[in-house]
Structure formats: structure tokens, C-alpha cells
Amino acid sequence: QVQLVEYGGGSAQAGGSRRLSCKASGLRYSGYCWGWFRQAPGKEREGVASIYSRAPATYYADSAKGRFTVSRDNYNTLYLQMSGLAPEDTATYYCAAGPTTQSWLCGDWSGSTYSDWGQGTQVTVSS
């Protein structure tokens, strides 16, 4: 059973940076997407960034391009380095993973590829 636990949420000033971490256990798919989504109050969930396990492929939503960087270590942790934060980045950030053999699905922000979800970590950006 896959377990995803997010760390690193908190407060930041506009223009500041923050790094989120997601520790995974039980992630044993041969190929999978692993990424970050977020949901702000009153808004729908949206994709942020993701990677594919079997290739050096990363995917970014337009809102994240040029400001956020997704990466992973060689073990079980996914990171989201966020810089240039703005109040509109305020949201609960979720780590998610799901099996696939098609890397391009990692950039499908409908979330249908992602079967495993963490509990989320809150990021609040003040102006």
C-alpha cells in the first residue's frame, strides 16, 4: 500500500521561497507518475508539477513554469522547490502518485492517472 506524507508547508512572504517534501512508502510500481497538486479554498484542484519514474521527464502547469522545480532523490522523497511565491499560490498542496507506462500522462492535470494521495500540507503566502 502506497503512503505519501507531505512536509514543509507553512507561511511565506510574497516573493519568497519554500520547499515541500513528500516521503513515499510502498511505491513499487514499475513505472509511475509522482507529482504535486494544489487546491485553494473555493477552487478546484489543479496540477502543479510532476515527474515520471522511468525517464528524466518533468511536467509543469503553466502557473508553475519558471518559478517551481520538481525533483526527487534516489530513495523515496519528492521535492517541490517554490520561489517567487505570490498570494495566489496559497493552497493546500498534495503529493500524488499513480502507475502508468506513458510518461505524458504525468502532465495530465485532470489527476486521473494518480491513484494515491497524501493528506496535504498548507502553504500560505502573504503580500
Side-chain angles (χ1 to χ4, degrees), residues 42-68:
K43 295 188 177 182
E44 293 188 357
R45 184 186 66 199
E46 62 176 0
V48 178
S50 65
I51 62 169
Y52 182 56
S53 64
R54 301 180 67 181
T58 57
Y59 301 86
Y60 293 93
D62 288 345
S63 61
K65 288 177 182 176
R67 299 189 303 129
F68 295 1

Side-chain angles (χ1 to χ4, degrees), residues 13-18 66-68 82-87 89 125:
Q13 294 288 323
S17 299
R18 196 140 192 113
R67 299 189 303 129
F68 295 1
M82 304 185 291
S83 59
L85 286 165
D89 295 314
V125 183

Side-chain angles (χ1 to χ4, degrees), residues 8-61:
S11 299
Q13 294 288 323
S17 299
R18 196 140 192 113
R19 188 175 81 158
L20 304 182
S21 302
C22 170
K23 286 193 179 293
S25 59
L27 197 54
R28 297 184 178 90
Y29 306 123
S30 60
Y32 56 90
C33 298
W34 196 6
W36 294 95
F37 289 75
R38 69 185 184 184
Q39 187 166 20
K43 295 188 177 182
E44 293 188 357
R45 184 186 66 199
E46 62 176 0
V48 178
S50 65
I51 62 169
Y52 182 56
S53 64
R54 301 180 67 181
T58 57
Y59 301 86
Y60 293 93

Side-chain angles (χ1 to χ4, degrees), residues 105-116:
L105 287 172
C106 300
D108 175 9
W109 304 122
S110 72
S112 59
T113 300
Y114 297 82
S115 54
D116 307 294

